[in-house]
Amino acid sequence: MDSDSALNSIKSTGIVAGMRGAFPPDVALRVSEVLMNEGITVFEMMMNSEAPIAAMSALKAEYGDAATVGMGTVLDVESAKRVLDAGADFVVSPAFQPDVVKAVMARGVLMGPGAATPSEAVAAWGLGVPLIKLFPIGALGVDYFTAVFGPLRHMTFMCNGAINDQNAREFIRAGAVACGMGPWLVGDGTWSKSQLRSRARILVNAVGSAQGGAG
């Protein structure tokens, strides 16, 4: 999947389901099946988790381009190369590291570096990235995002960190194209299908209403 296709998928869904911790392939497949059925089709595995590359590969083998599956918490070039070789649709990081950004973009894959300040966002955008991951924005709040976004409306932001259904709606309405969701949406790997389904429906409704009213 090329960079434009991955970005369009993220924008369309408005939700990136992140799985950190005990989400090996079998668990990741069980979780993703429920979320796919509820319209959530973008998944971020994370390098500091159990068998993340195997889990990412399992999801891609199961769904192909019906799902957009990438890797997060990619903190160095060697890790970036590993996940790119494994077929990641996108790569994201909690930090802005120019060497990682350049390595990913050289392969034509969507890169979403992390930024917490306008200076970091401007520096990353200057390298040509099409998506900035504003992190950890949930702890800072929608007012901080609005202040950052005001002079940087030419940039595309995804909001990550301590996101739930309520602030996800607020961030989307304020101008974010998507929110990255972790424990609030997928739990710790032990949640039942009914728990996952309930959270997914709440979130899809919240984000969908915000997308419909954005702007």
Side-chain angles (χ1 to χ4, degrees):
M1 183 178 292
D2 63 26
S3 179
D4 288 345
S5 297
L7 181 57
N8 288 337
S9 180
I10 290 171
K11 288 180 176 180
S12 175
T13 305
I15 300 165
V16 177
M19 302 185 215
R20 185 192 308 278
F23 290 89
D26 60 323
V27 178
L29 285 168
R30 179 174 59 81
V31 171
S32 64
E33 179 186 14
V34 176
L35 300 190
M36 288 282 289
N37 287 336
E38 299 302 326
I40 298 173
T41 61
V42 184
F43 303 99
E44 175 192 343
M45 311 314 296
M46 302 188 196
M47 285 297 286
N48 58 344
S49 296
E50 186 176 342
I53 293 178
M56 181 186 75
S57 298
L59 265 61
K60 285 306 296 181
E62 180 71 17
Y63 300 114
D65 283 348
T68 302
V69 188
M71 187 66 70
T73 320
V74 178
L75 302 177
D76 55 72
V77 172
E78 183 57 36
S79 296
K81 290 179 178 177
R82 289 173 59 203
V83 302
L84 291 168
D85 289 344
D89 291 328
F90 64 90
V91 175
V92 293
S93 168
F96 169 50
Q97 296 164 288
D99 56 346
V100 175
V101 169
K102 292 174 183 177
V104 174
M105 292 182 63
R107 297 277 290 269
V109 174
L110 175 64
M111 177 72 211
T117 67
S119 294
E120 291 173 331
V122 169
W125 197 259
L127 288 181
V129 300
L131 179 69
I132 302 291
K133 173 182 171 178
L134 203 57
F135 176 85
I137 192 59
L140 298 173
V142 70
D143 287 344
Y144 182 83
F145 171 69
T146 301
V148 170
F149 188 55
L152 302 178
R153 289 180 176 270
H154 59 291
M155 298 183 187
T156 304
F157 288 95
M158 176 173 71
C159 290
N160 287 64
I163 305 294
N164 55 45
D165 61 319
Q166 296 299 315
N167 60 14
R169 180 190 291 111
E170 294 173 357
F171 286 126
I172 297 292
R173 283 178 175 165
V177 299
C179 287
M181 306 290 297
W184 188 92
L185 175 61
V186 302
D188 60 1
T190 66
W191 282 9
S192 68
K193 289 187 176 183
S194 62
Q195 286 175 297
L196 292 165
R197 188 177 301 112
S198 175
R199 286 295 176 95
R201 288 178 178 175
I202 291 170
L203 184 62
V204 168
N205 287 336
V207 170
S209 67
Q211 288 175 320

